[in-house]
Amino acid sequence: MTKIQRTLFVSVFALFAATQVHAAPAKTTRTVGHANKANVVPAEKLHPSANLSYKVAGQRYYPQTSAKNFSQTGYASWYGPGFHGRRTSSGEVFDMYAMTAAHKTLPIPSYVRVTNLSNGKKVVVRINDRGPFHGNRVLDLSKGAAAQLGFINQGYTNVKIEVLKAGDSLNHAVATHSKSATITPAVATRSKSATATPVVAKPATNTGSIYVSIRAFENESDAKEFLQQTSEHLTKAKAEQRAMLVKRSEGYVIRVGPFKKQEHADETQDRLTQEII
């Protein structure tokens, strides 16, 4: 091999080696509603088209591109078999067993912590679809997520939604209901200075001890004001049930009960939500 040939051969080999190094694809791990190896919320780019303005049933929606400190309370439902395997608004295939959810305006994708205000159970889901567009519901969860939150049989429940940011830990997401939650019974009077003796909440284990959550608050004073309004409403309606304030780690929840039948509890919850909220 001549000097020129040898030089040419070395140059070609070096170029080939450099090309191989730069062309090696980076390994990425994509998680949909599940914790990654670091068990933190991953950073993902917004979907190019799923966050554009859209119109459903004559109403236009404007998705958010940023949801920092977003929090929302309302009814959540779930969907499963009828949509399993179909495309979501993000183009991803819907898996009813994955921890995902649909929201009308939250960024796609984004991660939220969902708390079932009826039992305190929590789960983190990934928003990858749009909806729900029926009733006054704010979130549509996958069947798997609804199962973890414990409301498969009911079909819907009152929840609190909190947006998580990239890097937030997922370890605290799956929390269980605390049996030692402190409850302050309501006093049916207009005096805001009235006090009540705290009692310990007991889980509803039989008929006659069914309670429903009406609304959640982060601020105690707002919760007490709403508690007063709910109590006065129940007094005027001559209802046997009472309103109470439940203190939890994430805030305060107004609950009403006890009810003997779930149907009566659901009806009262719907009526109070519409008339007071």
Side-chain angles (χ1 to χ4, degrees):
M1 180 181 293
T2 66
K3 184 176 181 179
I4 294 177
Q5 289 176 321
R6 185 166 57 253
T7 301
L8 181 60
F9 175 81
V10 171
S11 299
V12 171
F13 179 81
L15 180 61
F16 174 79
T19 302
Q20 289 299 100
V21 171
H22 290 290
K27 294 183 178 180
T28 59
T29 302
R30 181 175 180 79
T31 57
V32 181
H34 297 283
N36 50 29
K37 291 182 179 180
N39 207 31
V40 297
V41 175
E44 295 187 59
K45 292 183 178 180
L46 293 180
H47 192 278
S49 60
N51 295 293
L52 299 176
S53 172
Y54 65 97
K55 194 173 185 179
V56 174
Q59 184 173 350
R60 181 160 292 281
Y61 298 90
Y62 299 89
Q64 306 171 55
T65 55
S66 176
K68 184 178 180 181
N69 300 322
F70 178 91
S71 179
Q72 184 179 27
T73 301
Y75 287 116
S77 52
W78 64 271
Y79 62 130
F83 299 88
H84 187 67
R86 295 186 180 183
R87 295 285 179 181
T88 63
S89 298
S90 63
E92 299 169 358
V93 176
F94 176 65
D95 181 356
M96 66 180 180
Y97 300 108
M99 297 297 104
T100 60
H103 191 275
K104 298 182 186 73
T105 58
L106 280 177
I108 290 181
S110 57
Y111 289 76
V112 299
R113 178 172 53 246
V114 183
T115 303
N116 185 341
L117 297 178
S118 297
N119 57 24
K121 293 183 178 180
K122 302 182 181 183
V123 69
V124 169
V125 296
R126 181 172 178 270
I127 304 298
N128 72 340
D129 204 1
R130 291 297 177 211
F133 301 107
H134 49 85
N136 59 346
R137 301 173 188 180
V138 299
L139 193 70
D140 237 351
L141 292 152
S142 65
K143 182 178 181 179
Q148 287 201 23
L149 288 174
F151 73 96
I152 285 289
N153 294 332
Q154 296 96 310
Y156 68 95
T157 190
N158 199 25
V159 301
K160 181 178 181 180
I161 306 168
E162 298 170 283
V163 170
L164 302 177
K165 64 180 183 299
D168 280 350
S169 173
L170 299 176
N171 292 327
H172 64 288
V174 186
T176 55
H177 177 52
S178 173
K179 294 183 180 180
S180 60
T182 302
I183 292 181
T184 304
V187 178
T189 171
R190 291 184 178 276
S191 174
K192 293 187 177 181
S193 61
T195 58
T197 303
V199 297
V200 177
K202 295 183 179 180
T205 55
N206 51 55
T207 58
S209 49
I210 300 173
Y211 289 80
V212 291
S213 298
I214 305 301
R215 189 172 179 182
F217 297 86
E218 293 183 358
N219 185 280
E220 183 178 8
S221 61
D222 291 341
K224 287 183 176 180
E225 183 177 351
F226 188 81
L227 173 67
Q228 189 68 38
Q229 295 176 10
T230 306
S231 298
E232 292 175 357
H233 190 91
L234 291 172
T235 300
K236 291 179 181 178
K238 297 181 179 181
E240 297 179 357
Q241 292 73 29
R242 62 175 180 171
M244 58 190 67
L245 186 153
V246 181
K247 186 180 185 305
R248 291 184 177 152
S249 59
E250 68 273 10
Y252 304 85
V253 179
I254 305 302
R255 307 195 74 191
V256 171
F259 296 91
K260 294 181 180 180
K261 296 183 179 181
Q262 186 64 52
E263 294 83 357
H264 185 198
D266 292 340
E267 290 174 1
T268 302
Q269 184 183 43
D270 290 340
R271 186 172 65 253
L272 289 174
T273 300
Q274 294 173 3
E275 295 179 359
I276 301 179
I277 299 179

